[in-house]
Amino acid sequence: MSKYNVTSTEKYAEAISDLKHQFKLRFSDFKANETYFNLFSIPFSLPVEDVPENMQIEIIDLQNNKVLKEKYNYVELSIFYSKYINTETYPNLRNNALRMMSLFGSTYTCEHIFSRMKIVKSKNRVRLTHSHLESSLRIASSQIQPNINKLVSEKQCQLSH
């Protein structure tokens, strides 16, 4: 007789099977867009025949450009596509890169803002209106650093009577 209870083993096997199915569903989009991900991440290693027809000429030109290949090896992908891949020469590759970069950036931004919202709108601050919350989130998620010294120097202090 097995030391494991058969019903609990079956329950776990069913849960694992369900998990595998859920993973397959959730990541099916990645498999369907694998060519576009590869086109973005490994453009110099991708066989031309694996690239969609409307991008084949661009990828051939890119793969034969030694200067761009050198840049690709030494800079981040986002910099490579934004600075060195111009829209006139490589419009389809550039659009694909922008689409790929926006996928993950937007997910991060959403998670970041929800996290900030949780902090801003706590149980102690339930009286915030929608516009107050929107303004607070805009400030909390901004990359701009205020120059406090300049702001203070431009204000006139209230003098005593």
Side-chain angles (χ1 to χ4, degrees):
M1 183 165 174
S2 171
K3 66 179 182 176
Y4 299 108
N5 184 347
V6 174
T7 57
S8 66
T9 305
E10 289 171 357
K11 182 174 74 173
Y12 291 122
E14 186 177 317
I16 290 171
S17 177
D18 186 47
L19 257 172
K20 282 176 60 177
H21 178 68
Q22 290 297 324
F23 266 93
K24 191 178 275 187
L25 286 176
R26 290 185 189 267
F27 292 105
S28 64
D29 288 344
F30 284 101
K31 190 68 175 161
N33 290 304
E34 184 176 15
T35 299
Y36 296 103
F37 288 126
N38 288 339
L39 193 57
F40 171 68
S41 60
I42 53 168
F44 291 96
S45 307
L46 201 59
V48 175
E49 52 276 356
D50 291 352
V51 176
E53 284 185 25
N54 65 327
M55 297 185 190
Q56 286 183 351
I57 298 293
E58 291 178 28
I59 201 72
I60 290 169
D61 187 37
L62 179 73
Q63 289 177 349
N64 288 303
N65 189 322
K66 291 182 184 351
V67 173
L68 288 177
K69 188 170 188 171
E70 194 66 25
K71 297 287 185 193
Y72 172 81
N73 289 327
Y74 291 104
V75 297
E76 290 180 25
L77 279 176
S78 59
I79 294 170
F80 174 73
Y81 282 105
S82 62
K83 191 173 180 180
Y84 300 109
I85 301 297
N86 66 40
T87 308
E88 293 82 35
T89 310
Y90 306 104
N92 295 315
L93 288 175
R94 173 86 184 239
N95 287 338
N96 181 65
L98 293 174
R99 195 174 63 220
M100 292 299 117
M101 286 189 284
S102 71
L103 288 175
F104 302 105
S106 61
T107 302
Y108 169 77
T109 303
C110 287
E111 288 179 13
H112 179 72
I113 289 175
F114 275 114
S115 174
R116 293 291 182 164
M117 187 171 71
K118 219 167 94 176
I119 294 166
V120 169
K121 192 166 183 168
S122 65
K123 65 180 179 179
N124 299 326
R125 299 178 78 188
V126 292
R127 294 180 59 189
L128 285 175
T129 65
H130 179 70
S131 67
H132 288 116
L133 180 62
E134 184 178 338
S135 298
S136 296
L137 289 176
R138 186 177 300 250
I139 291 168
S141 61
S142 174
Q143 300 286 331
I144 299 171
Q145 295 295 318
N147 186 341
I148 302 297
N149 292 332
K150 182 180 178 196
L151 292 171
V152 169
S153 71
E154 292 174 355
K155 290 291 177 184
Q156 180 180 354
C157 297
Q158 185 172 350
L159 300 173
S160 305
H161 294 10

